[in-house]
Each structure stands twice: as structure tokens, then as C-alpha cells.
């Protein structure tokens, strides 16, 4: 199958499975899993932080970070499209009693400094206390400009705010922008890094910060479901991913650009591609047939009028070409059909005989 739904669908490589099978393990809740401790120490040094903490998921990692930075009744500033605000069940408010102050993202994924300034509350008992600025990189597949990150984090600190980075796909940003680990996280007090997306580990995220911050986050991790016991199996996979799967993200980016170019050649509207995420507009009238046709061609995608397709280590160039061939066949048959039948009606209804013609593609 050619699974383009997300880079979370990656499966451990043969080499990764081998290191998982051989991993030394202990009880991570007691802090004595040697593989977890090794991963945390190595990763913290690579990214230039005092300490790191392994979490089962990025949602848990981000939420623990927000709760370590903010107290009950505090507020954090966040982009309207950010995962910590939009896609993580409102955890900061529901479980952390932290008020999110969403701000519109700019087309490049940034948040305008003027908007950040306007959102910071005055020191007045009527308002929640603004404590934190949270950014995301990449966001929607876009890499935040490095100059902007430097300006935003410096401005936040000048106003007494802490800074957090949701770096679920931070390694994609690093590779795309040619940044070192230290440069990519400069200016942030804490960073969450996902190991189970493009890096290909089966589970796990790391949270970076000062020793005191990580100690606070570890307490919140316990409240949010705790740690895993023999987590070293996952930690070994994460360390392997950091050592072997970062530079190869460039292949995913090249494959995404290739996919985007192929879709554009079919006449589809495709957003500019920076990393491993492709956004393509598909006419609503085509969705019913494509949802039937693509799976039969071995292509899995979450289709909509704004479709996101994600490349990853389990989708090499040959599979990208096979996916493009499936789209090409669909639109070729549609073009042929348009010479025989009237155009599909609004809402996706097919004219008489079109269903049979689509059926012949299968």
C-alpha cells in the first residue's frame, strides 16, 4: 500500500527493529531504564539543553510543557492553526486550567509580532496572566523563517514571557533550512520533538528544557498518565532514528516536491511545498469516485477539497510515481468521459453512464 495520510504511519525499519530487540531496559518511572537515560542524555546534548524527558506522545509532551510553564489561570499565546490549540483536544484549558489566546497565523506560519504584543495582557486582576509564547515548526509543512524565530523569541523574553516550541517536525525544518540542532532551537526555553513522525520510531517524543523545568514536567507527566515502565524498547528506536533518519528527510522533501509537480501537471491546484507535506485542491465532484478508486490502486489518502498528502520513509520514489499514475489514470478517464457525457453535476452526482465508465477503471 502507498499510505500518504501522514508520516505517523511509518513502521520500524529492519535495523530499528534489531536495536529495539536488543535494547537494555529497566523501569523508567524509577528512572533506571538505561536506554531511556541514554536517549535523554544524548538528545539533550545534541540540542543544547540541560535535560530531556521521554514521553509516549507529542500531545502529552506539549501539554506537560504548557503546565510546567503556566499555572492555573495563566495564559499562553499560540497560533490559531497550532496543534497545541487546534488539534489536541483543548488539553491546556481542560486539564491545565490554562487559557489559550489564539492569534491568527500569517501565510508563512508565523505570528506577527504586533499581534503578539497586542495580545499580551496588562498586569490587571481582570485578566489572565500572559506567561508563554508557543510556536510550531514546521507548521502545515512550512518552515518558520529563522530570522522571525529569533525576533519572536527575543520579543517574548523582553516582555517577560517564556517560550515553547512544538517541534513535532522540527527535524524536517532543520533539514530544509540547513540548520544545526542548536540553531534550530535557539531562543526557546523548552522544545518538544516527535520521534514517531518522519524519523520513523514507533512511538515517543522528547521534551527539552532546564533541569528544573524537566523536573516539573516529569511531575505533570505522572498526572497525565505517567511514564511507561520498560520504555527502553522505544527509546532505542528513538536513538536509532536520531542517529540514522534525520539526514534522509531530504528524500521525503524531494519526493513531496516530485508529487506536487506531478499533481500540478494534471491541472490541480497545489500549494508550494517546503518539506514533506503537499496540499492539493480537489473538486468536490471528484471526491466520491476518487475515494473508491484510489484504495483499489493501493493508494491511501485522506481526501477532501483541501487534501493533505504526506511523504515519509515508507514511500520511496517508485511509490510516489505509482500514486501519481493512479491520479493520472483517473483524470484521463474523466477527460475521456467528458467527451461522451455532460460534466458531473454540483455536489458530486454523476451523469447517466458515468458510473459505469468509472467502474471500468477498477
Amino acid at each position: 500500500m502507498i499510505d500518504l495520510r501522514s508520516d505517523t504511519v511509518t513502521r520500524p525499519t529492519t535495523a530499528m527493529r534489531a536495536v529495539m530487540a536488543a535494547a537494555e531496559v529497566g523501569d523508567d518511572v524509577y528512572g533506571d531504564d538505561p536506554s531511556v537515560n541514554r536517549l535523554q542524555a544524548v538528545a539533550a546534548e545534541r540540542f543544547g539543553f540541560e535535560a530531556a524527558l521521554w514521553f509516549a506522545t507529542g500531545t502529552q509532551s506539549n501539554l506537560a510543557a504548557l503546565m510546567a510553564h503556566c499555572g492555573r489561570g495563566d495564559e499562553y499565546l499560540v497560533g490559531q492553526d497550532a496543534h497545541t490549540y487546534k488539534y489536541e483536544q483543548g488539553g491546556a484549558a481542560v486539564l491545565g486550567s490554562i487559557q489559550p489566546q489564539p492569534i491568527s497565523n500569517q501565510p508563512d506560519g508565523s505570528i506577527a509580532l504586533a499581534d503578539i504584543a497586542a495580545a499580551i495582557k496588562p498586569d490587571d486582576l481582570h485578566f489572565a496572566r500572559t506567561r508563554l509564547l508557543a510556536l510550531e515548526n514546521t507548521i502545515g509543512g512550512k518552515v518558520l523563517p529563522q530570522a522571525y524565530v529569533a525576533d519572536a523569541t527575543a520579543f517574548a523574553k523582553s516582555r517577560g514571557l517564556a517560550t515553547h516550541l512544538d517541534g513535532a517536525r522540527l527535524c524536517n525544518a532543520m533539514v530544509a533550512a540547513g540548520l544545526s540542532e542548536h540553531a534550530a532551537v535557539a531562543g526557546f526555553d523548552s522544545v518538544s520533538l516527535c520521534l514517531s513522525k518522519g524519523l520513523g520510531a514507533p512511538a515517543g517524543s522528547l521534551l527539552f528544557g532546564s533541569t528544573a523545568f524537566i523536573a516539573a514536567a516529569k511531575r505533570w507527566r505522572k498526572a497525565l498518565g505517567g511514564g511507561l515502565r520498560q520504555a527502553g524498547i522505544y527509546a532505542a528506536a528513538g536513538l536509532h532514528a536520531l542517529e540514522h533518519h534525520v539526514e534522509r528527510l531530504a528524500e521525503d522533501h524531494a519526493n513531496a516536491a516530485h508529487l506536487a509537480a506531478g499533481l500540478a501537471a494534471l491541472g490541480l491546484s497545489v500549494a508550494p511545498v517546503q518539506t514533506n507535506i503537499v496540499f492539493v485542491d480537489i473538486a468536490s465532484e471528484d471526491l466520491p469516485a476518487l475515494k473508491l478508486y484510489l484504495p483499489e490502486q493501493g493508494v491511501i489518502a485522506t481526501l477532501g477539497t483541501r487534501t493533505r498528502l504526506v511523504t515519509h520513509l515508507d514511500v520511496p520514489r517508485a511509490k510516489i510515481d505509482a500514486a501519481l499514475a493512479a491520479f493520472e489514470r483517473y483524470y484521463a478517464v474523466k477527460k475521456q468521459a467528458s467527451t461522451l457525457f455532460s460534466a458531473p453535476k454540483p455536489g458530486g452526482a454523476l451523469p447517466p453512464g458515468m458510473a459505469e465508465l468509472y467502474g471500468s477503471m477498477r
Side-chain angles (χ1 to χ4, degrees):
M1 301 300 290
I2 305 167
D3 197 337
L4 298 172
R5 291 174 298 174
S6 176
D7 44 11
T8 61
V9 303
T10 57
R11 298 174 183 180
T13 62
T14 299
M16 184 179 285
R17 288 178 184 270
V19 299
M20 291 172 70
E24 295 181 87
V25 297
D27 191 321
D28 183 46
V29 176
Y30 284 112
D32 61 10
D33 187 303
S35 294
V36 173
N37 293 340
R38 186 178 308 116
L39 169 64
Q40 292 171 165
V42 168
E45 182 177 1
R46 281 184 61 165
F47 283 86
F49 284 93
E50 289 181 355
L53 183 64
W54 187 90
F55 286 80
T57 73
T59 298
Q60 190 187 42
S61 173
N62 276 321
L63 182 52
L66 296 179
M67 294 171 73
H69 280 299
C70 302
R72 183 179 178 87
D74 288 344
E75 172 186 81
Y76 79 108
L77 308 182
V78 61
Q80 188 86 37
D81 297 327
H83 272 73
T84 58
Y85 170 70
K86 190 174 183 179
Y87 296 106
E88 296 182 357
Q89 281 286 325
V94 174
L95 300 177
S97 296
I98 303 165
Q99 173 174 286
Q101 174 59 70
I103 306 172
S104 295
N105 290 96
Q106 298 298 306
D108 65 356
S110 66
I111 308 172
L113 297 189
D115 292 342
I116 294 173
I120 298 173
K121 305 300 185 289
D123 185 9
D124 185 302
L125 59 81
H126 293 88
F127 300 108
R129 294 165 295 191
T130 308
R131 295 294 198 197
L132 176 71
L133 171 66
L135 299 178
E136 184 174 335
N137 197 17
T138 64
I139 180 167
K142 301 171 185 175
V143 180
L144 290 182
Q146 192 65 7
Y148 164 78
V149 171
D151 289 343
T153 54
F155 175 75
K157 292 186 177 182
S158 75
R159 298 296 299 270
L161 305 184
T163 52
H164 173 70
L165 176 64
D166 177 1
R169 294 185 175 89
L170 177 60
C171 289
N172 291 93
M174 288 164 39
V175 169
L179 298 173
S180 68
E181 290 95 336
H182 284 218
V185 300
F188 290 100
D189 296 301
S190 61
V191 174
S192 177
L193 174 70
C194 188
L195 302 169
S196 64
K197 290 187 170 68
L199 297 185
S205 286
L206 288 167
L207 180 62
F208 300 107
S210 68
T211 301
F213 173 83
I214 291 300
K218 189 170 186 178
R219 291 187 66 87
W220 284 122
R221 186 181 73 173
K222 186 65 175 177
L224 297 173
L228 297 185
R229 297 296 179 175
Q230 285 69 43
I233 296 171
Y234 293 109
L239 186 58
H240 179 85
L242 284 175
E243 291 176 342
H244 299 283
H245 291 177
V246 174
E247 292 183 1
R248 65 144 307 280
L249 291 172
E251 299 174 25
D252 298 341
H253 299 174
N255 284 338
H258 181 70
L259 176 60
L263 293 171
L266 298 176
L268 298 173
S269 176
V270 184
V273 174
Q274 294 185 29
T275 55
N276 67 322
I277 298 179
V278 178
F279 286 98
V280 56
D281 295 334
I282 296 178
S284 58
E285 65 192 32
D286 290 317
L287 292 176
L290 277 171
K291 287 179 179 179
L292 292 173
Y293 179 62
L294 289 180
E296 293 182 353
Q297 303 304 303
V299 179
I300 305 175
T302 304
L303 297 175
T305 54
R306 181 73 162 173
T307 291
R308 186 186 80 157
L309 304 172
V310 185
T311 59
H312 50 82
L313 61 82
D314 286 343
V315 187
R317 180 59 62 90
K319 287 191 174 184
I320 296 295
D321 286 336
L324 282 171
F327 276 100
E328 184 178 3
R329 284 193 297 271
Y330 170 82
Y331 285 104
V333 171
K334 179 186 177 183
K335 182 177 181 180
Q336 180 184 6
S338 69
T339 65
L340 302 175
F341 306 106
S342 60
K345 300 175 184 177
L350 299 175
M354 187 69 103
E356 288 77 5
L357 188 62
Y358 282 135
S360 71
M361 297 190 302
R362 301 197 285 275

